[in-house]
Amino acid sequence: MRIMVKFIITSTRGKLLGCPSHIEIKVNELCSYRPPDYHFADSYLCGRWDGYIRKYSLARHTFPSGLLYRIAKLLKKEGIKFEIEDNRKRFEWTEKQVLKNLEDFKFSLRPYQIDGLIKGLNVPYLVFWWATSAGKTVQFGALISALKLKDFRNTLILVSNRDLAAQHRKELKSMLDVEIGLIEEGRIEPQKITVAVINTLWIKAIRNKDKKVQKYLASIEHLISDETHHVIESKMFKQTINKCV
């Protein structure tokens, strides 16, 4: 049986080609949701918005790459054959390499933490859900250390404010024994591992279209977001991370 549908996937966006229109409508419904308290929004009260945030574009047939397997599951249920052209960069690591890298880490990780890191790396686009005061900075440092090749990967950690940036820099430097770069208002000082205040990064890369900063973002191999999707206007977060191709 011939393949009817094709997915083309990059690190940030996916595209669905050749999908029947009645199935694409179901895909659109699957990728739509109403956020909490949507009914209090002025645009909803005035009738300009129906309350739905839609992650699938019917006009462009595109979606965030993270929704690939959810959409594929729907197509299977509908009996639609498909193929996937995955153009995302392969994430190179081995369990042996990770364990060797963690031998040099300055903190002693518990067995379940190491096991969690190794299992998590099988899904390189993921969310870690940690409780308050669970030691997120230690986990960030462990991830960064575990994923070393000959050197640290180009790593960017996004935070919401200067105080948190200072805290992460101080703690990561003590764990990894390297200089930690900083991007905040008035300072653009990237290193192999850099902590950035997302608002400053957005202003430089998106609003001011700073070519040097955009080139830096395109070089990022390992991106960590410390809940910045919650505390900044959503388009700022999306537009900034989409530059990390």
Side-chain angles (χ1 to χ4, degrees), residues 52-76:
Y52 282 96
I53 292 176
R54 294 177 171 84
K55 293 298 184 180
Y56 186 83
S57 170
L58 284 168
R60 298 183 178 86
H61 316 290
T62 60
F63 56 91
S65 295
L67 295 176
L68 167 63
Y69 297 107
R70 187 176 298 185
I71 297 171
K73 185 177 180 179
L74 171 65
L75 296 186
K76 286 180 181 178

Side-chain angles (χ1 to χ4, degrees), residues 27-216:
V27 171
N28 184 47
E29 291 174 352
L30 177 70
C31 299
S32 301
Y33 67 95
R34 278 176 162 166
D37 301 327
Y38 71 91
H39 47 282
F40 294 124
D42 289 341
S43 55
Y44 179 78
L45 294 172
C46 294
R48 298 194 307 271
W49 177 45
D50 64 1
Y52 282 96
I53 292 176
R54 294 177 171 84
K55 293 298 184 180
Y56 186 83
S57 170
L58 284 168
R60 298 183 178 86
H61 316 290
T62 60
F63 56 91
S65 295
L67 295 176
L68 167 63
Y69 297 107
R70 187 176 298 185
I71 297 171
K73 185 177 180 179
L74 171 65
L75 296 186
K76 286 180 181 178
K77 182 179 178 181
E78 295 292 332
I80 303 294
K81 298 290 184 179
F82 59 85
E83 66 178 4
I84 300 173
E85 181 184 314
D86 193 340
N87 296 318
R88 291 176 290 189
K89 183 178 178 180
R90 296 301 169 198
F91 210 57
E92 298 176 8
W93 69 276
T94 65
E95 183 172 331
K96 181 179 179 181
Q97 175 193 355
V98 166
L99 293 174
K100 184 174 186 299
N101 288 344
L102 289 177
E103 288 176 0
D104 299 326
F105 192 53
K106 303 292 183 181
F107 280 65
S108 296
L109 297 174
R110 296 179 177 90
Y112 74 84
Q113 291 175 308
I114 297 173
D115 185 54
L117 287 178
I118 291 172
K119 288 184 177 178
L121 289 173
N122 286 305
V123 187
Y125 303 89
L126 76 161
V127 174
F128 281 97
W129 190 3
W130 291 311
T132 302
S133 302
K136 286 189 293 186
T137 312
V138 173
Q139 295 284 17
F140 294 166
L143 272 169
I144 293 166
S145 185
L147 291 172
K148 279 196 305 183
L149 296 174
K150 291 183 179 178
D151 195 0
F152 291 109
R153 298 175 193 255
N154 288 337
T155 301
L156 175 63
I157 302 170
L158 297 176
V159 298
S160 57
N161 58 68
R162 297 176 68 177
D163 290 342
L164 192 54
Q167 175 188 321
H168 279 322
R169 286 185 78 212
K170 180 179 179 181
E171 294 182 16
L172 287 170
K173 183 176 180 180
S174 70
M175 296 174 205
L176 303 173
D177 199 26
V178 294
E179 287 297 321
I180 307 297
L182 177 65
I183 296 176
E184 65 176 22
E185 187 176 357
R187 297 179 68 178
I188 307 292
E189 303 167 1
Q191 299 281 351
K192 290 290 288 186
I193 302 165
T194 301
V195 179
V197 178
I198 191 170
N199 187 49
T200 301
L201 203 52
W202 180 85
I203 290 171
K204 289 288 186 181
I206 308 301
R207 193 172 76 183
N208 296 344
K209 294 181 169 56
D210 187 310
K211 298 296 184 184
K212 185 176 180 181
V213 177
Q214 289 182 345
K215 184 178 180 180
Y216 163 72

